[in-house]
Amino acid sequence: MHSYIEEESEKKLEIFIDAISRIKPDIIAMQEVNQRTVKKPAAIDTNIVFKQYGIELKADNYGLRIALALSEKGLNYKLIWVGIKRGFNIFDEGLCFLCRVPVTSADAFLISQTDSITNWKKRMVLGIEAGGEWFYNVHMGRWDDKEEPFYNQWTSLNKKINSNTPIWIMGDFNSPADYKNEGYDLVLSSGFYDTYTLAKSKDKGYTISGRIDGWSDKKASFENKRIDYIFTNTKREIETSYTIFNGEREEIISDHFGILLTYERN
């Protein structure tokens, strides 16, 4: 999301809320959800907030503001939040889910070696159970990171999940699909399917279109790549997989585009 780090963040917040109110996804997974450290703790409405972990919700939390705005439009989304780390010394950053479907339980766990909120490489996973399936929201480190490599984080994640349960893992994997024998191939070799390749109808699937934060060291062209995914451990009938907030389907609101997936639930 980039949230408050984005230029014209308030305008982009309204673009997001407007699109969600029209599309009405059942489950939304968001990364880089920010709040200002100096703000007061949020007044918790249990009709809105299902669960929070880590750094507590502040009044200006980007995900909370979206949930409240959607509620004003008559859309009841539950918020599940994990606050993970500090950014630029002025923001708390975390992951969140917004869910229209009933959520029965939630979980959050560490997958990085560091557990310091002042270390930007700290990584956690946020999970929810809905309809007998588990959905996990991730923001992974890079494969070539010397301190917090993707391989170690993926291994930690796999130890925490129950492979006998229907699972979805979604978010920013920081692993280009065309980088062979790295993160993307590791996920597939771990028994997961890329829902983009399963989809009956899809677009080009690119989730970034140029240089982005965290990849500025790459001298070669970094345009038109897939590094954000929705994976599942069950081969399913995926109807559609389209990129959203890419300038064609809704306006661009971040350096990453979103993925909009549709499938028939059993």
Side-chain angles (χ1 to χ4, degrees):
M1 292 295 290
H2 250 177
S3 305
Y4 293 114
I5 299 173
E6 276 289 308
E7 294 182 3
E8 298 185 302
S9 61
E10 291 298 315
K11 176 183 176 181
K12 291 174 180 179
L13 178 67
E14 291 302 319
I15 291 169
F16 186 81
I17 291 167
D18 175 70
I20 296 304
S21 67
R22 287 184 280 104
I23 300 167
K24 301 179 178 64
D26 290 326
I27 297 175
I28 306 167
M30 300 157 59
Q31 302 84 47
E32 292 188 350
V33 178
N34 295 334
Q35 59 187 21
R36 294 179 179 87
T37 59
V38 296
K39 293 294 184 178
K40 295 180 179 179
I44 301 302
D45 181 347
T46 56
N47 291 318
I48 300 291
V49 180
F50 179 82
K51 193 79 173 178
Q52 62 171 311
Y53 300 93
I55 303 169
E56 66 180 339
L57 279 164
K58 300 291 179 63
D60 71 336
N61 182 279
Y62 216 69
L64 179 60
R65 289 184 62 191
I66 293 167
L68 291 170
L70 292 171
S71 178
E72 291 178 359
K73 294 177 179 290
L75 296 173
N76 182 25
Y77 277 90
K78 290 284 189 178
L79 173 71
I80 304 91
W81 152 264
V82 58
I84 301 172
K85 55 195 173 185
R86 293 273 159 80
F88 305 99
N89 294 320
I90 56 173
F91 296 114
D92 300 325
E93 180 187 313
L95 309 169
C96 80
F97 278 108
L98 294 174
C99 302
R100 292 185 69 206
V101 295
V103 178
T104 52
S105 58
D107 191 17
F109 52 87
L110 185 73
I111 58 169
S112 59
Q113 292 297 310
T114 182
D115 192 18
S116 171
I117 65 170
T118 60
N119 189 332
W120 68 272
K121 293 185 178 183
K122 180 180 178 181
R123 307 287 176 174
M124 293 186 70
V125 173
L126 181 63
I128 59 169
E129 183 181 23
E133 301 180 312
W134 273 91
F135 300 80
Y136 293 99
N137 187 348
V138 304
H139 184 182
M140 309 290 285
R142 280 172 47 169
W143 181 266
D144 59 358
D145 191 292
K146 302 299 183 184
E147 299 170 330
E148 290 288 349
F150 180 100
Y151 182 89
N152 291 353
Q153 294 173 9
W154 179 253
T155 301
S156 296
L157 192 161
N158 266 285
K159 289 179 180 178
K160 288 283 190 178
I161 60 179
N162 181 359
S163 59
N164 295 319
T165 301
I167 290 171
W168 304 81
I169 304 180
M170 58 195 72
D172 177 3
F173 285 75
N174 269 313
S175 294
D178 60 342
Y179 283 24
K180 298 304 178 186
N181 300 314
E182 292 192 2
Y184 179 78
D185 287 345
L186 176 62
V187 174
L188 297 184
S189 69
S190 302
F192 284 86
Y193 300 91
D194 181 354
T195 55
Y196 174 78
T197 63
L198 294 178
K200 297 176 184 177
S201 178
K202 69 189 82 171
D203 56 11
K204 293 180 179 179
Y206 302 137
T207 62
I208 56 173
S209 64
R211 296 281 178 89
I212 60 170
D213 285 352
W215 289 87
S216 58
D217 59 317
K218 290 295 179 182
K219 295 180 181 179
S221 173
F222 203 61
E223 293 195 3
N224 299 336
K225 290 188 181 294
R226 290 199 302 132
I227 70 171
D228 307 86
Y229 309 96
I230 301 175
F231 293 105
T232 180
N233 66 342
T234 305
K235 198 167 187 179
R236 303 168 184 263
E237 292 288 330
I238 305 297
E239 296 298 324
T240 66
S241 178
Y242 292 113
T243 305
I244 191 172
F245 302 112
N246 62 352
E248 297 178 10
R249 288 185 178 85
E250 311 299 337
E251 296 181 56
I252 294 174
I253 60 171
S254 175
D255 59 347
H256 290 245
F257 307 146
I259 300 170
L260 184 62
L261 182 77
T262 62
Y263 76 104
E264 288 294 328
R265 298 186 69 186
N266 294 330

